[in-house]
Amino acid sequence: MFQNIGEMLVLFWRTLKALPLAFRHGQKVLGQLFEIGNASLFMACVLSLFIGGVLSLQSGPVLAERGLSNLLGGIVGMSMCRELAPVMMAVLIAGRIGSSMAAEIGSMRVYQELDALRTMNINPIHYLVLPRVLAISLALPALVVFSVLTGWLGGALAAVYNPKIAITFSTYYSYLDLVVDPWDVINGLIKSFCFAVVIGVVSCHQGLTTIGGPRGIGRSVTKAVVNSIVLILILDYFLTQLLLHFE
């Protein structure tokens, strides 16, 4: 475990050092942005719409029994910004994109394409890792913004059309505007950026260390997804503690 953590930290440092070369691989970064962002947008919005709806369905009746249903907009808004949107989008991207990164780079490692790149004096970290880490670091925060907006809409629809809650759109959004401030959105974006870096580095590391043929590729994909999700949840706790000190 400690060896893997050390290798991932070294990979992260080498990727950071290669950042000035990002413009040379702009086309690859744009391609990865399309794959990560645009191709995942619909799925992210559908997921967020129902997350917001479920949050309203669970919280709304309890608040309505106590005469506090007007506060539902603030609860849904705060929850989506600070926790649900960053964490759920990170888990979604880890499963959808992290597995793809690990499989693609892992197959190149198994079939000796990485050795061919080194033979042509092409650094695999510059050519393969940097564009993917940079693209996912830009795409995930953007997806979180769409997720937050869609989650707010899902919560509003569930609240307005549920007879046990029965509040208006104006009441829902007025309390949402009252409770949620720009720092809550920035909080979620900071978390999503950190989660994106973790997903990119972990997935690329698992791909670069793949051994054992097709079965090894399968193991690397599984490890990439599981390790990414575990690290996301652990990092979420520490980031929450850290960001609370800046409020």
Side-chain angles (χ1 to χ4, degrees), residues 15 101 128-138 196-197 200-201 204:
T15 305
M101 289 182 181
L128 298 175
V129 178
L130 176 62
R132 285 167 171 78
V133 173
L134 187 58
I136 197 172
S137 300
L138 296 173
V197 173
V201 172
C204 291

Side-chain angles (χ1 to χ4, degrees), residues 115-181:
D115 295 331
L117 289 176
R118 294 189 181 97
T119 302
M120 294 185 290
N121 200 27
I122 298 175
N123 191 323
I125 294 177
H126 298 173
Y127 188 74
L128 298 175
V129 178
L130 176 62
R132 285 167 171 78
V133 173
L134 187 58
I136 197 172
S137 300
L138 296 173
L140 186 53
L143 284 175
V144 166
V145 173
F146 284 100
S147 173
V148 168
L149 296 175
T150 312
W152 289 352
L153 176 61
L157 292 174
V160 170
Y161 294 106
N162 187 337
K164 293 183 179 180
I165 307 172
I167 61 175
T168 63
F169 280 107
S170 60
T171 302
Y172 177 90
Y173 280 106
S174 65
Y175 275 87
L176 189 150
D177 181 61
L178 185 65
V179 174
V180 178
D181 57 40

Side-chain angles (χ1 to χ4, degrees), residues 48-58 76 150-151 153-159:
S48 303
L49 184 71
F50 286 98
I51 289 175
V54 168
L55 192 59
S56 279
L57 291 177
Q58 294 284 4
V76 174
T150 312
L153 176 61
L157 292 174

Side-chain angles (χ1 to χ4, degrees), residues 13-35:
W13 174 243
R14 290 179 177 174
T15 305
L16 276 182
K17 288 170 60 179
L19 272 179
L21 305 175
F23 289 105
R24 296 184 184 179
H25 306 288
Q27 194 65 34
K28 291 182 68 64
V29 173
L30 290 176
Q32 291 294 324
L33 271 174
F34 178 83
E35 177 65 24

Side-chain angles (χ1 to χ4, degrees), residues 12 50 63 108 145 162 171 228 235:
F12 175 63
F50 286 98
L63 293 173
M108 296 178 72
V145 173
N162 187 337
T171 302
S228 295
L235 185 60

Side-chain angles (χ1 to χ4, degrees), residues 186-205:
I186 295 171
N187 187 305
L189 294 179
I190 293 172
K191 285 185 176 183
S192 63
F193 176 80
C194 296
F195 296 159
V197 173
V198 167
I199 295 168
V201 172
V202 170
S203 302
C204 291
H205 170 259

